[in-house]
Amino acid sequence: MDAHSYNAALTELRTVRDEIKKARAALTKLEADRDQRIAQLAAYSKAKAERIAPAAGLSVADIVTLAPALAPESLTTAETASPSSAPAVPAADDSPAQAVPKPAPRTGAAAPAMSGGQPSLAASPAPKNGAADPGPGRDRPAVQDARRELPSIPEGPAGDGWFTHTPKLVSQSPNFTQQARSTVFLDTDTSVLVHRQQTHHLDLGDASVAAILSTVFHVLPEGVERIYITAGDPWHRDADRYPYLRDAVAAWLNAPTPGWRTDTGRGRDRMAGHFVHARNPVGRYQRENGEDHVEIRSVGEWFDVDDADPATVRDAFVLLWQALRRHWSDAVIMGSPSQTGRDLWTRTIPQRGQHADGFPVLSEELRGLLHATAGQGRNELLTPPRVPDQLPQLVEYDRTFAYAKHTWKSPVGAPRRITAQTFASWTQKEQMRALYGCGHWQVRVTVPDAWDHVGILPAPAPGDRAWHYPAAPGDTFTTWAGGPEIHTALANPIQPWKIEILDGILWDDGKPLDDWAKKLKETWSNLTAQAHFQGDPQQARAAHLASRAVRSILLYGIGSFAQRPRMVTGTTPRTMERDVPPDAEIIGFDNELITWQKPTGFSRDPNAHPEWAAAIWSGARAALLTQRHRDDDTYAGALHTQPGAVVAFRTDALYLTAPQHWPHHHQPGDYLLKGHLTGPVTAPTTEEELLALRDAGRTALTQTGGQA
């Protein structure tokens, strides 16, 4: 580019700048006009937010914000508990998490403190408003008033009625053989399609759903049932036309597909309709004559492909299937890791012995309570002044196949309610046995006055964040936590915390996941060894991807047990917007269709066991803080570092300011050095900055011959 071209380009850039300013001004004017019209409509005595929302292209919540008088009665009189943030783990049947109604808080008389010299453990009822009383002479922490409240179990018979199982809903071993589906692998960037041992080069045109279906079925007239997109993300092709990726994805999934319509499900397969997800959506289609059914999915649900071509991805799935067949003679790879994991688990349910009748599903009330009070992985960024502005180093440790470490013991049997009074009446030995067992506890927590390290127990966070981890000396809060975290708070290597038991749920100890997890761990070990010793680079890469897929099967399989409330996505023609469900949220629209989603509550899922997921997540969060390595007679975890050394937690990873000498024997739960940046490093203050430093640290460690 010469000087003349440079100046001309600057002139064009200024023109674009001015057009953007004009467009923004026009948009602001249109939005103001829209809001004014909504206010005028709200003045009508029979106006309803659910009617105005689709006409305005907004959600019901947005309409209520602009016109509070339109708030439905149910919204003005009932509160909801905030759902857990992020994740990382998808819900059963690919359904995202939603909020659940919050039960009424409890009241009651105080119970005596625990005797016998156990440090800082007591039992007392929850305060009426669900918040902790800081006690006389102590100022309430400033954040206390902003904290949301977690639900409690109602007092008396109303709450006792929760402690049962859902009638006629039991996890049982299947009496049918799962059918495999014909699968192809398609790179929409290169237009390369791999089907079994054949490779085809296609002309996908605009890579729309219609183009993909017509081209694939032209090349393979016998048909396929599942199309994995390995690269290209065609659902993002028009992302610049939409304010959010989900809008672009919804538009791509719902674009006209001549000869096809949205699948409505068939036979044992209850999966129907599209799943709108910003990164890994699922499109389900069937011929208008009902003969062919096909899914379009992202292989990113299983693992990060990076630069692997479709043939390598195909080989990875073949190796995965072969490895699983060594443990399950009828193993079939289903559409997602969560579906596959749960199907494989059902095939480990014993047909004789103690649990031959299966595993009953908890009452919907207890499932709702666990959904609202049992968070997933710990994600926390510590910023200055809790860490230095300039870090001496940034070191990443990741727990290898972490959740597999915590599947050896899980809750079984009928749940029992342990009130504060009941807990206080027990001996110290009985209390500690209960806390070591499979339980979920409502507690009032006080951080020690001299505490100078990271927080231990999750607390309900203000705003949009679901959880945070108070660590300020003297801070007091009320929360729910699992036994592993309660034990860590009481017996950590620094200083015991004060814990008051307010209420609790206790199960018998069992091993419903042990056989399933052992088989997956052995499969993972075998594939990891293949990746290490395989001489063919493509097969080594395929084995590595297959081992990552096993990790996803266990990780997302555990998440599927949590069974969050289901979310249904649908479309309605613009000419029929009156038919948009009144409780639906508008998530996108164009000139022809309105795309919406609505929660449908908990389904009658026979494999819903949130108590198992909650126990594993609690154990994993506790192990981020302290974990014993028996063979090495040593400990690892955040609480075994110097104060101020922890920069961040991310699910099963720690980011520190100094390297640690923690053992790693390639076993589940071991801390693996994944990244190392030498300093000085400016402390990250946002997640984006942390992820950028993480990637740089991994690259730096690889270049120096490290473990990552």
Side-chain angles (χ1 to χ4, degrees), residues 490-502:
L490 291 169
N492 68 79
I494 301 173
Q495 184 180 6
W497 286 31
K498 180 182 178 182
I499 305 294
E500 298 172 80
I501 302 297
L502 308 177

Side-chain angles (χ1 to χ4, degrees), residues 117 402 472 616 679:
I616 292 169

Side-chain angles (χ1 to χ4, degrees), residues 80-84 91 95-101 246 368 371-372 563-568 585 597-602:
T80 56
S82 298
S84 177
S95 300
Q98 293 297 312
V100 297
R246 282 175 57 89
H371 167 67
Q563 198 241 2
R564 297 165 180 83
R566 293 172 63 86
M567 179 70 73
V568 172
E585 175 189 1
Q597 64 180 15
K598 58 173 289 188
T600 59
F602 290 102

Side-chain angles (χ1 to χ4, degrees), residues 494-554:
I494 301 173
Q495 184 180 6
W497 286 31
K498 180 182 178 182
I499 305 294
E500 298 172 80
I501 302 297
L502 308 177
D503 211 339
I505 312 167
L506 189 62
W507 292 266
D508 293 334
D509 296 352
K511 294 181 177 293
L513 304 177
D514 194 44
D515 184 36
W516 173 72
K518 283 180 177 177
K519 290 178 177 179
L520 289 178
K521 284 186 280 190
E522 186 173 337
T523 302
W524 171 79
S525 296
N526 290 338
L527 289 169
T528 301
Q530 285 187 52
H532 182 73
F533 294 108
Q534 174 62 250
D536 184 328
Q538 178 173 330
Q539 288 301 302
R541 177 65 176 159
H544 171 73
L545 294 179
S547 72
R548 300 297 292 173
V550 176
R551 175 186 177 276
S552 295
I553 288 173
L554 186 134

